[in-house]
Amino acid sequence: MTLQQLKYVVTVAECGNITEAAKQLFVSQPTVTSAIHDLEKEMQIVIFIRTNKGVILSEDGERFLGHARQVLEQVDLIEGIYKDDVVSKPHFAVSCQHYSFAVNAFVDVIREFDACQYDFTIREEQTHEIIEDVTNLKSELGVIYLSSKNTEVLSKMLKRNELEFTELFTATPHVFICDSHPLASKKSITMDDLQDYPYLTYEQGEYNSQYFSEEFVSTLDSRKNIRVRDRATLFNLIIGLNGYTVCSGVISAELNGRNIISKPLDVEEYMRIGIISRKGVVLSRYAREYIEALKAHCM
């Protein structure tokens, strides 16, 4: 077993495709395939299961990947201390719902380590994609929320995939609107106040249900509904159409713009926002720093 083989495994797991991993590693696809095959033979396990869409980690492969990441992280630390001429390239990936504080925390991690080389990934995705990413160790961490409406279903799904949820904070629901909105002067807003305005939500594909929605208020509660895929479009529509969305209330003027404001929503509900990770997998120093940065931005 070599460090190069471990790097190949980690990169293939992150890409989900051997061809794409080979491009990132600047080697040929047969080289990566052969190296992983030799490693599987030596370890007497199957690390990757081949599918028509690429590769996925086997159960043994998931455990192996966790150990491989730890080994490579320790190598980076040693080389950073003793080999001034060696430039290590740290890797870290997180998948999250569309939270500006999750992006701000990601920026903090990059600034904290200030490496001259790094390969970091942040994915703002649909809820089920976040769970799949962390399950398959494509991302080390995921950021989602639980509420009274989705806890039972999502908790079962997390347990089935050997994931654990660690709460960061409990938020009271807020509404994001523009500062020129007719309701902008109100101290708090009710659902009745919002009936005449477009409700903007994040599209969840085939998982469009209240259990996977990023907004705990169902679209059935609104007469006008618009689904979007990205945060920029959502905020443009909030401004252009006097629309609104329901969220945690944690707002970033840097990322969302100063004309987006947050108002308390008058409902008896909560949002437990936290991180999901694989059970039994030791987190990298980047993941640990990311969690601390999340706490700093949310509390």
Side-chain angles (χ1 to χ4, degrees):
M1 179 173 58
T2 67
L3 292 176
Q4 193 66 60
Q5 287 173 315
L6 297 184
K7 290 178 182 178
Y8 286 176
V9 169
V10 170
T11 306
V12 171
E14 291 173 348
C15 294
N17 182 285
I18 293 178
T19 301
E20 180 59 32
K23 290 180 182 178
Q24 292 191 18
L25 292 163
F26 300 104
V27 297
S28 67
Q29 183 267 334
T31 297
V32 176
T33 300
S34 178
I36 292 176
H37 175 75
D38 291 343
L39 182 60
E40 290 177 321
K41 185 176 180 180
E42 179 184 354
M43 295 293 105
Q44 298 182 13
I45 61 172
V46 173
I47 299 174
F48 292 107
I49 299 172
R50 280 67 176 174
T51 72
N52 56 1
K53 294 183 179 180
V55 295
I56 59 173
L57 286 161
S58 67
E59 187 173 337
D60 286 332
E62 292 171 357
R63 287 192 290 268
F64 185 86
L65 180 61
H67 294 302
R69 280 177 167 160
Q70 292 175 51
V71 170
L72 293 175
E73 181 182 353
Q74 292 304 310
V75 171
D76 284 345
L77 285 171
I78 293 171
E79 290 182 341
I81 295 171
Y82 295 106
K83 298 178 68 175
D84 293 335
D85 60 331
V86 173
V87 179
S88 60
K89 195 173 188 180
H91 291 256
F92 172 63
V94 59
S95 297
C96 60
Q97 293 177 323
H98 297 76
Y99 299 130
S100 57
F101 60 80
V103 179
N104 285 331
F106 188 78
V107 171
D108 288 349
V109 173
I110 294 175
R111 288 175 175 169
E112 172 67 22
F113 291 98
D114 194 25
C116 56
Q117 292 188 40
Y118 51 79
D119 193 349
F120 287 179
T121 304
I122 182 168
R123 305 177 178 95
E124 287 190 337
E125 296 183 309
Q126 297 173 354
T127 303
H128 77 97
E129 292 174 326
I130 297 169
I131 294 173
E132 288 178 357
D133 284 352
V134 181
T135 298
N136 297 323
L137 293 173
K138 184 177 180 181
S139 287
E140 194 170 355
L141 298 175
V143 184
I144 64 172
Y145 85 95
L146 298 179
S147 71
S148 63
K149 297 180 182 294
N150 68 8
T151 293
E152 183 176 358
V153 170
L154 291 191
S155 293
K156 288 180 179 179
M157 190 173 184
L158 296 179
K159 183 177 181 180
R160 185 169 64 249
N161 288 289
E162 297 187 0
L163 304 178
E164 55 188 1
F165 176 86
T166 304
E167 182 177 332
L168 295 173
F169 70 104
T170 298
T172 55
H174 283 64
V175 177
F176 276 5
I177 55 176
C178 67
D179 58 1
S180 60
H181 195 284
L183 301 175
S185 62
K186 293 179 69 70
K187 290 185 177 179
S188 65
I189 294 174
T190 68
M191 290 304 300
D192 286 340
D193 292 333
L194 295 165
Q195 282 301 313
D196 292 332
Y197 303 102
Y199 182 24
L200 303 168
T201 61
Y202 287 107
E203 203 269 332
Q204 298 291 329
E206 62 182 291
Y207 291 84
N208 262 321
S209 73
Q210 64 176 346
Y211 306 118
F212 293 90
S213 173
E214 291 191 37
E215 309 79 17
F216 72 88
V217 176
S218 171
T219 54
L220 297 177
D221 298 326
S222 175
R223 292 196 295 264
K224 302 176 181 179
N225 297 287
I226 300 174
R227 291 191 177 96
V228 302
R229 285 299 302 264
D230 64 90
R231 191 149 38 93
T233 300
L234 182 137
F235 287 127
N236 285 337
L237 293 175
I238 283 179
I239 296 170
L241 296 175
N242 274 336
Y244 71 94
T245 192
V246 178
C247 59
S248 67
V250 181
I251 195 167
S252 170
E254 284 183 28
L255 295 178
N256 300 340
R258 299 191 180 278
N259 50 357
I260 300 295
I261 60 175
S262 176
K263 293 287 182 176
L265 181 62
D266 189 12
V267 292
E268 294 295 327
E269 190 50 87
Y270 63 87
M271 298 175 71
R272 294 173 54 217
I273 295 176
I275 58 104
I276 58 173
S277 58
R278 284 300 302 260
K279 290 181 179 179
V281 174
V282 177
L283 297 179
S284 69
R285 66 188 189 274
Y286 313 110
R288 295 193 298 270
E289 180 64 29
Y290 183 73
I291 292 172
E292 292 305 311
L294 282 173
K295 293 177 181 177
H297 283 284
C298 297
M299 298 180 180

